[in-house]
C-alpha cells in the first residue's frame, strides 16, 4: 500500500458546541458508557493503538491510518467526557453498571493479529458504535446532545468506509 495523505479521517463538518440543556443522570450514564464502557471511545482508542503497532510491518499507510483514526476517536472521548461532566457525572474511564461504577478494562477488546481478522474486528467495532449512538439519539430528548451524537456518527461512518476499503484492498 502506498501512502495516501489525501485521506480524511474526520468528516468535513463542524462539531456542534458541547453543551446540554440540563443535568440528567440517565443521559450522564450513557455518556459515561461512551467514555469507558465496553463499546466506548477509550476501547476504540486502545484498539487502534494496538492495530497500529501490529500493522507497522504491513506498510506505513495502514499503520498511519489506524493512528489517525485513533486521534479522531480521542476527540470523541474528550467530547463525551465533557458531556458527562455537564450532565452531572465525573468523567473517569468507567461506566455505570447495576447502579455501580465499573472501570474500563483493556480486556473489553479483542486483539486479532492477522490482517483480515484485525480489519474485520475494527469494522465491527465501528458498526456497533454507530448502532449504539443511533439508539441513544432515539431516546435522548436534548437536541444539543443528539446533534453531537449525529456529528460523531459522521466520523464513525467515514471510518467504516476506510476500513471497508482496506479490506477490499486485501483481495
Amino acid at each position: 500500500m502506498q501512502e495516501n495523505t489525501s485521506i480524511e479521517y474526520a468528516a468535513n463538518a463542524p462539531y456542534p458546541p458541547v453543551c446540554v440543556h440540563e443535568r440528567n443522570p440517565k443521559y450522564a450514564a450513557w455518556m459515561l458508557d461512551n467514555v469507558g464502557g465496553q463499546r466506548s471511545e477509550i476501547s476504540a482508542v486502545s484498539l487502534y493503538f494496538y492495530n497500529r503497532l501490529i500493522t507497522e510491518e504491513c506498510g506505513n499507510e495502514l499503520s498511519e491510518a489506524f493512528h489517525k483514526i485513533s486521534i479522531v476517536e480521542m476527540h470523541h472521548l474528550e467530547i463525551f467526557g465533557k458531556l458527562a461532566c455537564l450532565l452531572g457525572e465525573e468523567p473517569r474511564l468507567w461506566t455505570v453498571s447495576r447502579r455501580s461504577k465499573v472501570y474500563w478494562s483493556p480486556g473489553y477488546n479483542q486483539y486479532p493479529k492477522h490482517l483480515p481478522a484485525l480489519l474485520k474486528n475494527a469494522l465491527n467495532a465501528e458498526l456497533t458504535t454507530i448502532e449504539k449512538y443511533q439508539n441513544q439519539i432515539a431516546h435522548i430528548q436534548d437536541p444539543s446532545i443528539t446533534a453531537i451524537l449525529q456529528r460523531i456518527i459522521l466520523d464513525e461512518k467515514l471510518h467504516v468506509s476506510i476500513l471497508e476499503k482496506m479490506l477490499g484492498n486485501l483481495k
Side-chain angles (χ1 to χ4, degrees):
M1 295 179 134
Q2 294 178 334
E3 186 172 354
N4 184 350
T5 56
S6 66
I7 296 174
E8 296 292 328
Y9 295 92
N12 189 16
Y15 289 90
V18 178
C19 61
V20 300
H21 283 92
E22 62 185 9
R23 287 182 174 224
N24 183 310
K26 183 186 231 180
Y27 298 169
W30 289 344
M31 295 306 109
L32 280 182
D33 195 64
N34 295 346
V35 168
Q38 187 166 0
R39 291 184 300 156
S40 66
E41 295 297 333
I42 194 63
S43 291
V45 169
S46 66
L47 179 67
Y48 290 128
F49 168 76
Y50 171 83
N51 289 355
R52 180 181 187 187
L53 296 176
I54 292 298
T55 59
E56 280 184 333
E57 65 190 37
C58 298
N60 188 43
E61 182 183 1
L62 189 58
S63 180
E64 195 61 22
F66 284 123
H67 174 67
K68 289 181 178 179
I69 292 171
S70 75
I71 292 170
V72 176
E73 303 295 359
M74 281 187 264
H75 187 221
H76 299 167
L77 178 64
E78 180 181 9
I79 290 168
F80 287 129
K82 287 178 179 180
L83 285 172
C85 278
L86 292 170
L87 290 162
E89 280 289 353
E90 187 177 355
R92 296 186 191 187
L93 298 181
W94 59 9
T95 189
V96 178
S97 178
R98 297 184 185 131
R99 297 186 181 151
S100 296
K101 302 288 190 336
V102 178
Y103 279 101
W104 176 82
S105 169
Y108 290 158
N109 283 337
Q110 295 178 25
Y111 299 96
K113 291 183 180 178
H114 300 289
L115 195 52
L118 183 144
L119 289 168
K120 287 176 186 174
N121 182 55
L123 177 60
N124 183 55
E126 292 288 349
L127 291 170
T128 57
T129 297
I130 292 167
E131 183 180 319
K132 176 183 180 179
Y133 296 164
Q134 288 172 333
N135 184 51
Q136 289 175 353
I137 289 168
H139 293 93
I140 291 175
Q141 300 298 312
D142 185 324
S144 296
I145 299 171
T146 59
I148 292 167
L149 286 163
Q150 289 167 339
R151 172 57 187 83
I152 289 173
I153 286 172
L154 295 178
D155 290 338
E156 306 299 4
K157 286 181 176 180
L158 182 58
H159 299 164
V160 166
S161 67
I162 291 167
L163 292 166
E164 286 175 339
K165 183 176 180 185
M166 288 179 188
L167 267 168
N169 288 342
L170 295 179
K171 297 177 183 177

